[in-house]
Amino acid sequence: MNADNAACSLSADSQYVELAVEVFAMLADATRVRIILALRDGEMAVGALADVVGKSPAAVSQHLAKMRLARMVSTRQEGTKVLYRLANEHARQLVVDAVFQAEHALGGEPAHHRRDRKAAS
């Protein structure tokens, strides 16, 4: 376990704590969380993302620009279309875990535990 902490800089005095706080600040926006959830299955263009998250393409573009600067999303050009995708799996996992934590906050048995139990059967 200590090897994990050393390899991943997970100690309380890690130099990455402040950067981790910036990651949480970037994710402290419902539209950005929805964008990450929409992108977890693959690439999407701004217009399609706007439809999924219920915001204007201009608003989604602004969020994507910030997320791109934070290296949470990356782009690929396809003709005249720009496709966005998650830069890595970490932002997706943070959002999934946050949604699961939110399910716990509601009390009762969270939906993700029911799915886990059915999968084990």
Side-chain angles (χ1 to χ4, degrees), residues 8 18 35 43 60 63 70-71 87 98-99 107 115 117:
C8 297
E18 284 76 19
I35 288 170
E43 296 177 320
V60 170
H63 285 288
R71 296 190 173 136
V99 169
R115 280 193 308 269
R117 193 175 60 242

Side-chain angles (χ1 to χ4, degrees), residues 53-96:
V53 303
K55 299 288 182 180
S56 71
V60 170
S61 289
Q62 297 254 334
H63 285 288
L64 287 166
K66 291 177 184 177
M67 294 170 75
R68 191 171 178 197
L69 284 173
R71 296 190 173 136
M72 289 185 168
V73 298
S74 58
T75 61
R76 179 177 69 86
Q77 190 90 22
E78 188 176 273
T80 60
K81 195 183 288 190
V82 177
L83 297 173
Y84 288 84
R85 66 182 173 276
L86 296 176
N88 58 60
E89 288 300 306
H90 298 294
R92 182 199 61 78
Q93 190 60 52
L94 278 169
V95 168
V96 167

Side-chain angles (χ1 to χ4, degrees), residues 1-16:
M1 186 165 160
N2 288 336
D4 287 342
N5 287 346
C8 297
S9 302
L10 294 177
S11 64
D13 64 346
S14 170
Q15 63 183 347
Y16 298 104

